[in-house]
């Protein structure tokens, strides 16, 4: 780890001010990606802004037809939340298979989304549920938020406050793990909301999480695994590495999507 | 059988300190005034070192010194060596390139050390290491052993043209060719035995301290064999004479072979400690371990098996290219030769065998012994060939094996080994009963109903352990003898200290060795302590590897205990005024035969030291004896593993449904520890077969350089094993022990791949059989079935 300056602001405004002052400052939420990267000297931010004392960033609430989760809410809190289990059980399941107990006890939804790892679980849920990312500056729709590999629409001085999810009629998440890292080799979140059907695939895309519109159209007509049997996910733009060829991951996206639909019921 | 004697499942004495965090590992040790060492390592797989500028780095905070390969050469510190000489077919010796502890002119793999920074803190050392400026002249690299000898391939060492270290052979070529010419059927396989990273839980570490007053050095290191480390560092590296160098291997957290070898970092630590006159501490981090620990396996093999009209195996031939990596590690030459080709007869009576092995340099980490060392590679070749041959011949794989098993002993194979005892059919039959082999078809049909593929695979393995008769290995090129030593020190109050050369780093010697002593002397197990790992305490020892600690190390203890018993009987004789020959010793009591006169163990040990009952002319006081035990043969553990898998053809995910292991380890001291060894071995073998694989890209970068990409086996990948044993005692050692440490890793890869290939219906499934690989194979298999 390289030496860095440590800040612990007590308000969101102070955090944002610190963030805009320093060119390469990093926000610290759960630190489950940032800290290992710093220990390996793969990241060396000049300043760390610890968000743990900023009030109002944590917790789960139901607001009308939306489930709202604070950015600093830990995975384990989402997993165990009665409200999440009632409103979007697929989301509670997603968090239960995210990382390991150590990660779930520290990692946060805001940290995961801001990092936008192409193999992370949460982006699939946000995109498939057509969630909204609320920041200190604006609201960003899921379709506009994920911009590519480890890239988001967040501006340099922008901080996620919370994420809202429309409560779906049906939703399911299925994940096939990378045998080494246990991240998603392919993870698919399917959801049917009043706005329509969405299918989001994580782990497979060279540019991160993506939607499969053909599956969405097919499922809109007939919500069943069979309905998407004929839909092929193209292997172009799909990650190919030691753990799986692009053909394999593209094929797996179909298999896992069907299983996610079956799970959603 | 007593509750703590031979055969009892005694809980491990050492676990109290290990599981309460009170063990003492090398990195737990802090010496006053120590500096931390951090190595500057090459980011290139192959490059000339054109210039090293340490001036800016030397001025950084906390830096004590920065040393390079030029400094090492200037101090005339010798390079590392490979201690087993192999001779090529044409009679020329193997071509060993120089291996300086810090590269001076050229780097040959990513991670090759080019400088060492010594600083007050690790952080300061790391910061300064980044400021060391090295100008490299990058050269093309070769990583694939099959391409290393090709025309135009990058050349690693001038002494080894075409990167060929040796081309060696074993067996009767003409007889084997004749067998193939006359064969009714020939089975052919191309096999890649995948490269593995050892990944012991404790990374390597070293602390060196220089005692200026006595001009003596002490090294604490993570070693499986501290005496051999001292010998090599003294005699070959030339660091200090043996009597001025103490090597201590304290608690060591796993080795699996990777801590047998003498590594550059411990040499540098010693040299640097003497130069800066302060203790020097180096602890590997996991990323360094991936790059610099000696890797395992990495063979490319073509193998063929000849059978006659009666389905008898008549010949076997293999050609193997063995990747040695960038430098020859300590025992690297022996692994793909005498630890490999000598086991190619498997459990079978094969009249003719011929093996050719080309060992080659590549721009990768050195490759050396890793759990099983050569024997897993041999078993994989033999057991895949036999299984595939049975399938091609339309025979049940068990029947084909039974037809070809060695059934009378001793059995001389065409590849050196003389099998001494075994009952191969017994272990296979038992394993088949345990897995309910006859109902496999029903289970397969059930799986198919659920859209799953099911397969079953055998591995009837044999290994040569109890390494090894010194004269025999000497004649084959070993630079050392492979006996073991023991010293038994009995204290006046009757407690016992056993000094052994068999280092324990996970095997449980502190328990099993104490069980032997408890059994022999009738003393409570808690009054026996096992001392190992310090060259100042134990006079000499050869260390722990090759499943030798039981068969060789305990045999030495047994020999020393014989002497203790003889001496104690003499003491008891003087105490009871009887001849020593008339004394019986049983359950810790010395009795005059035919009388009720007896004295206890504690009385005798006290009398041995107070020496009031005999004169100096009659008997020496004290009770301390030593012994060296040199085995007369290898031991031959063998058995049968059966793996049953269910595969989801849509995803390629393998579920191991059943795993049965029936092993013949000869006599067993502690069945619980043996079972644990089998479990761990299977886990490593399953790791090799379906998870682990070290992968270098064409530029020589290790792509699988962390656990994010290198898949270690986890509990969830494994089933509940069904483990049992059959026993044919080993006739060549006094305890009848064969050894159990490597069997699981040797047997299991073939069993698993045989099961997977059985399930998918064709033989082309490389290791590791990841979901992606298995999915592709299942597609192929299903297509084949549809045709």
């Amino acid at each position: 780890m390289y030496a860095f300056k440590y800040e612990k602001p007590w308000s969101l405004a102070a955090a944002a001010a610190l963030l805009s002052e320093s060119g390469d400052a990093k926000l610290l939420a759960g630190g489950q990606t940032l800290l290992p990267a710093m220990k390996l000297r793969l990241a060396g931010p000049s300043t760390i802004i610890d968000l743990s004392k900023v009030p109002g960033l944590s917790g789960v609430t139901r607001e009308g037809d939306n489930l709202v989760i604070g950015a600093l809410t830990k995975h384990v809190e989402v997993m165990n939340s009665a409200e999440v289990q009632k409103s979007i059980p697929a989301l509670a399941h997603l968090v239960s298979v995210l990382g390991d107990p150590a990660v779930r006890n520290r990692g946060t939804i805001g940290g995961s989304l801001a990092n936008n790892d192409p193999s992370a679980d949460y982006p699939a849920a946000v995109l498939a549920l057509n969630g909204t990312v609320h920041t200190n500056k604006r609201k960003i729709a899921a379709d506009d938020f994920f911009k590519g590999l480890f890239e988001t629409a967040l501006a340099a001085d922008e901080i996620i406050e919370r994420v809202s999810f429309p409560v779906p009629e049906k939703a399911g998440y299925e994940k096939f793990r990378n045998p080494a890292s246990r991240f998603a080799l392919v993870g698919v979140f399917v959801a049917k909301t009043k706005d329509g059907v969405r299918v989001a695939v994580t782990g497979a895309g060279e540019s991160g999480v993506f939607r499969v519109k053909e599956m969405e159209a097919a499922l809109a007509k007939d919500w069943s695994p069979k309905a998407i049997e004929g839909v092929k996910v193209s292997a172009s733009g799909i990650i190919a590495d030691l753990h799986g060829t692009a053909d394999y991951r593209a094929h797996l996206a179909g298999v896992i999507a069907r299983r996610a639909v079956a799970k959603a019921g | 059988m007593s509750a703590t004697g031979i055969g009892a499942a005694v809980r491990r004495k050492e676990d109290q300190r290990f599981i309460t965090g009170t063990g003492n590992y090398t990195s737990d040790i802090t010496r006053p005034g120590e500096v931390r060492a951090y190595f500057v390592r090459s980011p290139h797989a192959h490059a000339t070192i054109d210039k090293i500028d340490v001036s800016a780095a030397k001025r950084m905070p906390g830096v004590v010194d920065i040393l390079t390969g030029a400094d090492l050469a200037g101090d005339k510190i010798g390079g590392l060596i490979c201690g087993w000489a192999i001779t090529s077919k044409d009679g020329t010796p193997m071509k060993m390139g120089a291996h300086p502890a810090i590269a001076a002119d050229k780097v040959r793999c990513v991670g090759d050390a080019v400088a060492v920074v010594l600083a007050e803190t690790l952080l300061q050392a790391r910061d300064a290491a980044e400021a060391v400026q090295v100008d490299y002249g990058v050269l093309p690299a070769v990583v694939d052993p099959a391409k290393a000898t090709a025309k135009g391939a990058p050349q690693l060492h001038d002494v080894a043209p075409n990167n060929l270290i040796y081309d060696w052979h074993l067996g009767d070529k003409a007889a084997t060719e004749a067998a193939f010419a006359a064969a009714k059927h020939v089975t052919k396989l191309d096999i890649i035995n995948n490269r593995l990273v050892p990944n012991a839980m404790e990374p390597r570490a070293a602390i060196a301290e220089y005692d200026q007053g006595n001009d003596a050095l002490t090294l604490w290191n993570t070693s499986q064999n501290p005496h051999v480390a001292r010998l090599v560092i003294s005699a070959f590296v030339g660091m200090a004479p043996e009597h001025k160098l103490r090597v201590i291997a304290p608690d060591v957290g796993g080795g699996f072979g990777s801590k047998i070898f003498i590594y550059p970092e411990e040499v540098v630590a010693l040299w640097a400690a003497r130069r800066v006159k302060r203790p020097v501490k180096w602890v590997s981090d996991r990323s360094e371990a991936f790059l610099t620990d000696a890797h395992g396996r990495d063979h490319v093999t073509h193998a063929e098996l000849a059978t006659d009209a009666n389905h008898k195996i008549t010949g076997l031939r293999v050609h193997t290219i063995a990747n040695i990596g960038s430098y020859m590690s300590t025992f690297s030459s022996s692994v793909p030769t005498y630890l490999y080709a000598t086991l190619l007869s498997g459990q079978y009576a094969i009249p003719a065998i011929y093996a050719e092995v080309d060992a080659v340099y590549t721009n990768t980490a050195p490759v050396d012994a890793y759990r099983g060392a050569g024997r897993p590679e041999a078993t994989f070749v033999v057991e895949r060939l036999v299984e595939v041959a049975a399938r091609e011949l339309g025979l049940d794989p068990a029947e084909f094996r039974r037809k070809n098993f060695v059934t009378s002993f001793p059995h001389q194979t065409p590849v050196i080994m003389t099998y001494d005892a075994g009952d191969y059919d017994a272990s296979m039959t038992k394993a088949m009963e345990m897995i309910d082999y006859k109902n496999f078809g029903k289970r397969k049909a059930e799986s198919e109903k659920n859209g799953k593929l099911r397969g079953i695979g055998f591995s009837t393995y044999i290994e040569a352990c109890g390494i090894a008769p010194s004269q025999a290995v000497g004649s084959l090129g070993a630079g050392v003898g492979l006996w073991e030593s023991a010293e038994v020190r009995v204290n006046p109050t009757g407690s016992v200290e056993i000094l052994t050369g068999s280092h324990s780093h996970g095997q449980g010697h502190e328990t099993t060795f104490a069980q032997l002593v408890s059994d022999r002397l009738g003393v409570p197990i808690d009054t026996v302590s096992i001392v190992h790992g310090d060259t100042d305490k134990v006079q000499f020892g050869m260390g722990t590897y090759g499943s030798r600690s039981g068969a060789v190390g305990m045999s030495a203890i047994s020999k020393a205990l014989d002497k203790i018993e003889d001496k104690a009987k003499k003491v008891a004789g003087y105490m009871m005024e009887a001849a020593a020959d008339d004394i019986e010793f049983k359950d810790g009591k010395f009795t005059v035969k035919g009388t009720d006169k007896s004295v206890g163990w504690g009385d005798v040990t006290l009398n041995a030291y107070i020496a009031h009952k005999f004169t100096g002319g009659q008997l020496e006081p004290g009770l301390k004896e030593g012994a060296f035990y040199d085995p007369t043969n290898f031991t031959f553990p063998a058995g049968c593993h059966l793996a049953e898998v269910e595969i989801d053809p849509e995803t390629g995910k393998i579920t191991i449904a059943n795993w049965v292991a029936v092993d013949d380890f000869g006599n067993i001291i502690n069945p619980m520890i043996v079972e644990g060894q089998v479990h761990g071995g299977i886990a490593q073998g399953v790791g090799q077969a379906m998870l682990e694989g070290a992968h270098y890209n064409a530029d020589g970068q290790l792509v699988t350089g962390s656990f994010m990409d290198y898949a270690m086996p986890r509990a969830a990948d494994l089933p509940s094993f069904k483990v049992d044993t059959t026993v044919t005692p080993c006739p060549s050692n006094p305890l009848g022990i064969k050894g159990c440490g490597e069997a699981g890793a040797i047997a299991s890869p073939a069993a698993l791949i045989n099961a997977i290939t059985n399930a998918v219906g064709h033989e082309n499934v490389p290791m590791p059989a990841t979901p992606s690989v298995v999915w592709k194979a299942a597609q192929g298999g299903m297509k084949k079935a549809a045709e």
Side-chain angles (χ1 to χ4, degrees):
Chain A
M1 203 177 270
Y2 297 107
F4 57 87
K5 201 170 147 197
Y6 177 78
E7 300 279 4
K8 196 189 243 183
W10 287 72
S11 73
L12 199 60
L18 285 163
L19 195 56
S20 51
E21 277 164 26
S22 159
D24 67 342
K26 278 279 183 192
L27 296 171
L28 176 66
Q32 295 304 292
T33 302
L34 179 61
L35 296 183
M38 287 171 69
K39 284 182 179 174
L40 288 166
R41 297 194 163 198
L42 297 172
S46 62
T47 306
I48 287 293
I49 304 165
D50 182 347
L51 293 175
S52 61
K53 291 293 176 197
V54 174
L57 291 184
S58 190
V60 177
T61 50
R62 173 80 183 242
E63 295 176 8
D65 288 340
N66 286 297
L67 186 76
V68 181
I69 301 177
L72 281 199
T73 312
K74 288 173 182 145
H75 303 324
V76 68
E77 292 163 348
V78 176
M79 183 175 98
N80 292 334
S81 158
E83 192 52 63
V84 177
Q85 286 165 8
K86 197 174 100 196
S87 300
I88 318 181
L91 192 61
H93 166 71
L94 174 144
V95 180
S96 75
V97 296
L98 186 164
D100 53 30
V103 167
R104 292 195 289 271
N105 278 309
R106 297 294 308 173
T108 67
I109 184 170
S112 173
L113 294 176
N115 188 48
N116 193 19
D117 188 307
S119 301
D121 299 287
Y122 260 133
V126 174
L127 192 59
L129 289 163
N130 195 16
T132 303
V133 178
H134 302 250
T135 76
N136 57 336
K137 300 188 159 191
R138 58 185 166 145
K139 293 180 194 173
I140 309 172
D143 284 324
D144 302 325
F145 183 81
F146 302 104
K147 291 292 186 190
L149 220 54
F150 297 103
E151 276 181 42
T152 66
L154 291 169
D157 57 350
E158 200 165 9
I159 302 172
I160 301 177
E161 286 188 58
R162 60 191 180 278
V163 186
S164 63
F165 297 95
V167 173
E169 286 171 37
K170 287 169 186 283
Y173 182 64
E174 182 75 12
K175 172 180 182 175
F176 193 84
R177 291 168 186 270
N178 174 317
S181 68
R182 300 291 170 111
F183 274 78
L185 196 66
V186 169
V188 182
F189 202 107
V190 295
K192 187 178 186 181
T193 65
K194 62 180 185 338
D195 301 328
V197 170
R198 283 175 165 242
V199 176
V201 178
T202 189
E206 283 176 340
S207 308
V209 65
F210 64 91
R211 288 171 62 187
V212 186
K213 301 261 170 82
E214 299 89 328
M215 285 188 188
E216 293 176 355
L219 287 170
K221 278 188 222 145
D222 170 17
W223 181 267
S224 75
K226 214 167 167 50
I228 50 173
E229 255 175 21
V231 181
K232 289 252 181 298
V233 174
S234 162
S236 105
I238 298 293
I239 295 171
D241 61 16
L242 271 184
H243 308 290
T245 57
D247 281 346
Y248 173 63
R249 277 189 171 89
H251 158 82
L252 208 52
V255 175
I256 299 304
R258 293 198 292 277
R259 291 181 186 181
V261 173
K263 196 178 254 175
Chain B
M1 183 177 82
S2 79
T4 58
I6 291 173
V10 179
R11 285 198 184 179
R12 304 199 334 162
K13 290 171 72 178
E14 48 270 71
D15 283 350
Q16 175 70 23
R17 71 175 191 276
F18 292 152
I19 63 178
T20 56
T22 49
N24 186 37
Y25 296 88
T26 300
S27 64
D28 292 328
I29 296 165
T30 302
R31 301 302 298 169
E34 74 183 17
V35 299
R36 296 297 297 256
Y38 191 82
F39 285 85
V40 180
R41 298 188 182 278
S42 170
H44 306 293
H46 200 192
T48 55
I49 302 170
D50 298 336
K51 190 178 163 213
I52 302 181
D53 183 356
V54 300
S55 53
K58 263 193 177 172
R59 290 193 297 272
M60 289 182 64
V63 173
V64 174
D65 206 351
I66 299 176
L67 303 171
T68 65
D71 299 319
L72 189 79
D75 283 357
K76 300 201 165 27
I77 301 298
L80 297 157
I81 52 112
C82 174
W84 195 306
I86 298 294
T87 306
S88 284
K89 288 172 192 164
D90 65 3
T92 56
M94 66 184 190
K95 298 179 175 65
M96 178 162 54
H99 186 191
I102 303 178
D105 306 321
K106 189 174 158 180
V107 290
R108 294 178 175 84
C109 66
V110 171
D112 220 351
V114 293
V116 63
V117 179
L118 308 167
E120 300 295 341
T121 70
L122 178 59
L123 221 60
Q124 289 170 333
R126 256 189 111 157
D127 285 344
E130 288 182 8
V132 172
Q133 298 284 325
V134 187
D135 293 345
Y136 293 100
V138 178
L139 301 167
V142 60
V143 299
D144 181 347
K147 292 178 183 158
T149 54
K151 222 178 186 171
Q155 300 290 298
L156 272 79
H157 294 271
D158 292 343
V159 298
N162 302 318
N163 299 316
L164 185 66
I165 299 165
Y166 54 74
D167 59 337
W168 171 90
H169 64 162
L170 184 68
D172 187 332
K173 186 180 184 183
T176 307
E177 278 175 2
F180 275 85
K184 170 92 171 148
H185 182 83
V186 175
T187 297
K188 298 177 182 181
L189 277 180
D190 286 301
I191 289 167
I192 292 178
N193 205 289
N194 45 326
R195 176 186 277 247
L196 304 175
V197 182
N199 281 313
M201 198 178 290
E202 180 205 19
R204 291 189 293 118
I207 307 178
E209 187 169 56
Y210 179 58
D211 173 352
Q212 216 176 325
N214 290 304
D215 188 28
L217 286 159
T218 301
L219 172 71
W220 289 263
N221 69 343
T222 48
S223 176
Q224 298 179 218
N225 45 350
H227 290 87
V228 178
R230 184 180 65 162
L231 178 65
V232 171
I233 293 170
S234 181
F236 294 93
V237 178
M239 186 69 63
E242 270 185 289
H243 68 290
K244 293 285 191 186
L245 176 59
R246 178 183 183 185
V247 178
I248 303 168
D251 284 333
V252 174
F256 311 109
S258 71
K259 291 170 181 168
I260 297 172
F261 323 121
I262 323 305
Y263 284 94
E265 293 85 0
E266 49 213 32
V267 169
V268 170
L270 284 164
W271 165 64
R274 191 161 56 194
R275 267 186 78 121
V276 302
K277 299 191 169 51
R278 289 174 65 178
V280 170
K281 180 174 186 171
W282 170 77
V283 180
S284 171
D285 61 34
R286 187 58 68 182
S287 305
E288 260 181 313
F290 268 97
L291 291 174
T292 67
D293 288 358
H295 293 178
R297 320 282 191 253
D298 208 346
H299 284 194
V300 177
T301 295
H302 178 75
E304 300 186 355
L305 189 80
T307 39
D308 68 11
N310 299 317
H311 304 138
K312 284 278 202 187
I313 301 170
T314 52
L316 184 154
R317 63 188 174 200
V318 303
H319 179 247
T320 292
I321 304 169
N323 194 348
I324 297 291
S326 45
Y327 300 98
M328 294 191 75
S329 174
T330 316
F331 290 107
S332 57
S333 57
S334 64
V335 176
T337 50
Y338 291 110
L339 293 176
Y340 166 66
T342 54
L343 272 305
L344 287 171
S345 198
Q347 297 186 351
Y348 314 102
I350 305 179
I353 296 175
Y354 182 62
E356 293 174 287
V357 179
D358 302 339
V360 299
Y361 282 121
T362 62
N363 297 108
T364 60
V367 178
D368 207 324
Y370 171 63
R371 201 171 193 174
R375 291 151 291 170
E377 296 90 316
T379 298
F380 195 77
V381 167
V382 175
E383 289 305 297
R384 284 288 293 135
L385 274 175
V386 166
E387 194 92 355
V388 173
R391 289 171 189 168
E392 287 175 354
L393 296 168
L395 299 173
D396 182 288
E399 271 321 298
F400 181 58
R401 282 179 169 83
R402 228 169 238 138
K403 210 180 249 293
N404 287 285
F405 277 153
V406 170
T407 51
S408 70
F409 298 89
H411 173 82
Q412 177 65 53
T413 74
V415 279
I416 298 177
M417 294 300 178
T418 309
Y419 298 167
D420 52 5
D423 186 344
Y424 308 140
D425 197 2
S427 49
M428 186 173 74
T429 300
K430 192 167 190 176
M432 289 164 73
E433 282 164 12
M434 284 166 68
I435 208 163
D436 191 17
Y437 185 73
K438 64 176 191 297
N439 285 314
F440 170 73
K442 281 186 199 158
R443 298 195 292 277
K444 188 177 172 73
E446 198 59 35
S447 293
E448 278 166 4
K449 254 191 254 166
N450 299 321
K452 303 281 168 60
L453 305 172
R454 202 173 188 96
I456 194 162
F458 287 75
S459 177
T460 50
Y461 74 98
I462 189 164
E463 47 170 334
C465 293
I467 291 174
S470 299
Q471 198 177 51
V473 295
S475 73
L476 303 178
V480 289
L482 290 170
W483 44 264
E484 195 47 85
S485 78
E487 189 175 313
V488 179
R489 295 180 182 171
V490 181
N491 297 316
T493 53
S495 63
V496 184
E497 283 151 32
I498 302 290
L499 286 76
T500 169
S502 297
H503 190 274
S504 187
H505 37 274
Q507 294 83 355
H509 294 174
E510 291 172 39
T511 306
T512 45
F513 288 13
Q515 284 181 252
L516 169 65
V517 177
S518 170
D519 198 87
R520 287 286 304 271
L521 302 181
V523 297
I525 196 168
D526 292 336
T527 65
V528 182
S529 67
I530 307 299
V531 179
H532 64 85
D534 184 342
T535 59
D536 262 13
K537 292 179 181 167
V538 179
Q539 186 248 331
F540 207 94
M542 294 312 299
T544 293
Y545 38 83
S547 306
R548 68 191 303 274
S549 293
V552 189
M554 288 180 84
S555 292
I557 296 170
S558 178
K559 251 182 99 174
L561 287 170
D562 291 344
K563 297 181 189 177
I564 288 286
E565 206 176 298
D566 285 349
K567 175 88 181 272
K569 278 181 180 169
K570 285 181 189 159
V571 175
Y574 285 109
M575 289 168 70
M576 295 186 283
E577 294 174 347
D581 287 348
D582 291 334
I583 306 288
E584 270 179 348
F585 179 53
K586 207 178 160 225
D587 299 333
K589 219 162 87 175
F590 297 84
T591 309
V592 181
K593 274 181 207 163
T595 73
D596 59 358
K597 266 170 85 175
S598 71
V599 285
W601 170 253
D603 288 339
V604 171
T605 60
L606 185 63
N607 271 280
Y609 283 91
I610 61 174
H612 294 169
K613 302 284 186 194
F614 48 88
T615 70
Q618 289 170 317
L619 192 65
E620 274 182 34
L623 199 51
K624 181 188 89 162
E625 299 289 348
F628 286 71
Y629 173 78
D630 200 350
T632 54
N633 191 1
F634 292 85
T635 66
F636 297 96
C640 177
H641 284 225
L642 271 167
E644 187 171 328
V645 299
E646 189 176 70
I647 292 170
D648 178 349
E650 281 197 310
T651 63
K653 187 176 165 58
I654 300 169
T655 303
I656 301 176
N658 286 306
W659 196 291
V660 166
V662 178
D663 299 289
D664 179 356
F665 297 134
N667 293 335
I668 285 169
I669 306 295
N670 183 323
M672 182 194 70
I673 288 179
V674 166
E675 199 170 314
Q677 286 280 355
V678 173
H679 285 200
I682 297 171
Q684 274 174 310
V686 167
Q688 165 159 34
M690 64 179 226
L691 295 159
E692 299 180 51
H695 182 77
Y696 285 91
N697 70 13
D699 297 331
Q701 297 294 333
L702 182 63
V703 179
T704 50
S706 81
F707 293 134
M708 287 295 282
D709 289 301
Y710 189 91
M712 290 294 281
R714 293 162 161 93
D717 297 314
L718 303 163
S720 231
F721 308 121
K722 295 189 191 90
V723 175
D724 208 338
T725 53
T726 54
V727 180
T728 61
C730 176
S732 71
N733 65 58
L735 300 166
I737 292 174
K738 296 186 180 183
C740 66
E742 298 161 291
I746 290 168
S748 53
L752 189 54
I753 296 297
N754 283 339
I756 297 167
T757 52
N758 179 233
V760 301
H762 67 99
E763 304 303 336
N764 187 20
V765 179
M767 296 193 288
T770 60
S772 180
V773 163
V774 174
W775 170 71
K776 201 173 154 207
Q779 302 306 107
M782 288 193 299
K783 269 184 209 144
K784 207 172 153 186
E787 275 162 12

